[in-house]
Amino acid sequence: ETGVTQTPRHLVMGMTNKKSLKCEQHLGHNAMYWYKQSAKKPLELMFVYSLEERVENNSVPSRFSPECPNSSHLFLHLHTLQPEDSALYLCASSQDLGTDYSNQPQHFGDGTRLSIL
Amino acid sequence: QKEVEQNSGPLSVPEGAIASLNCTYSDRGSQSFFWYRQYSGKSPELIMSIYSNGDKEDGRFTAQLNKASQYVSLLIRDSQPSDSATYLCAVNGARVTGGGNKLTFGTGTQLKVEL
């Protein structure tokens, strides 16, 4: 496999459920990201990991809990979500975080379409 | 003030025409600029990156950057129906706590190429 793979592609869950989203990248990248994409809104950065260390939590509610066991895998654990959390959740990776004002391009997975009942 | 602004469209162009997509950004210090294409229900796909003022061409795509005016544009020559998608502009912006910086995305411009 190549690129960035996300599972599941679709997820429907109740507000009291616990589920996890999985992301795996086969690009040898060192940085990984979680984004939320809602209709008519820009992509919202949620978390950033560099070499398995979380370097950014963009004011995300604690009902979203990320985990990065190694540089190839990233998880997003979900617990007690709200209806407004229904969205497309995208994982991305880049070679590294870049330098001041200069980024490496980010490569995205196909996303998980999450629906909260 | 939005950090990255794009006209949401839809922008309709006839097949074979040139489609011009524009993006303005607020952070004058930004150095990296990207265009992503996103088909409905799919993930964003990187199609162009540009780092220096001027034009960068790749096949039917040309990215144009003007840092003094703080805008970046994407031209698509000989537009095809398969180019119909939403085009996202991304600009590097605020620092990340651990070093490096975030990409800030616009809301995207929907392009429709009509037969």
Side-chain angles (χ1 to χ4, degrees):
Chain A
E1 290 192 52
T2 59
V4 181
T5 304
Q6 288 187 245
T7 54
R9 293 294 309 279
H10 302 274
L11 179 62
V12 179
M13 56 188 287
M15 293 171 60
T16 58
N17 292 156
K18 291 184 182 181
K19 296 287 185 183
S20 296
L21 310 184
K22 178 183 176 182
C23 175
E24 183 174 2
Q25 59 96 1
H26 308 272
L27 300 169
H29 288 169
N30 294 317
M32 297 187 76
Y33 311 79
W34 279 117
Y35 286 90
K36 176 184 179 182
Q37 189 175 35
S38 303
K40 306 297 184 185
K41 290 185 178 181
L43 280 166
E44 300 174 50
L45 180 65
M46 300 175 72
F47 301 104
V48 181
Y49 276 82
S50 176
L51 296 172
E52 302 134 52
E53 179 183 350
R54 188 192 312 179
V55 295
E56 185 78 2
N57 176 343
N58 209 30
S59 302
V60 179
S62 59
R63 58 186 184 268
F64 295 92
S65 175
E67 179 189 2
C68 188
N70 55 63
S71 60
S72 298
H73 292 85
L74 186 64
F75 294 89
L76 187 62
H77 303 300
L78 315 173
H79 175 52
T80 320
L81 295 192
Q82 303 299 309
E84 61 266 28
D85 297 323
S86 297
L88 180 67
Y89 287 84
L90 292 162
C91 173
S93 71
S94 63
Q95 185 60 55
D96 51 49
L97 290 178
T99 60
D100 285 358
Y101 292 103
S102 178
N103 271 93
Q104 300 282 346
Q106 295 179 16
H107 300 267
F108 287 84
D110 284 337
T112 296
R113 175 69 63 182
L114 177 65
S115 298
I116 306 300
L117 300 178
Chain B
Q1 181 185 6
K2 291 182 181 178
E3 294 181 52
V4 178
E5 290 208 42
Q6 295 180 257
N7 188 322
S8 61
L11 172 66
S12 294
V13 299
E15 184 178 8
I18 296 176
S20 178
L21 305 163
N22 299 311
C23 171
T24 58
Y25 60 94
S26 60
D27 187 344
R28 186 170 288 277
S30 296
Q31 299 287 340
S32 306
F33 307 86
F34 306 93
W35 282 100
Y36 286 83
R37 177 177 62 199
Q38 187 172 24
Y39 292 113
S40 181
K42 300 292 187 180
S43 64
E45 172 192 9
L46 179 69
I47 55 172
M48 288 288 284
S49 58
I50 186 166
Y51 301 90
S52 304
N53 276 331
D55 294 0
K56 179 182 178 183
E57 187 174 319
D58 183 2
R60 295 187 296 112
F61 299 101
T62 299
Q64 299 176 317
L65 175 61
N66 184 323
K67 291 182 181 178
S69 299
Q70 294 177 239
Y71 83 78
V72 56
S73 61
L74 179 70
L75 301 179
I76 306 175
R77 290 182 300 281
D78 188 24
S79 296
Q80 302 297 309
S82 59
D83 295 325
S84 298
T86 296
Y87 289 80
L88 305 176
C89 172
V91 177
N92 72 318
R95 291 292 306 277
V96 170
T97 305
N101 47 77
K102 306 176 186 180
L103 275 185
T104 301
F105 286 81
T107 53
T109 297
Q110 184 183 4
L111 173 66
K112 292 184 177 180
V113 180
E114 299 169 334
L115 295 170

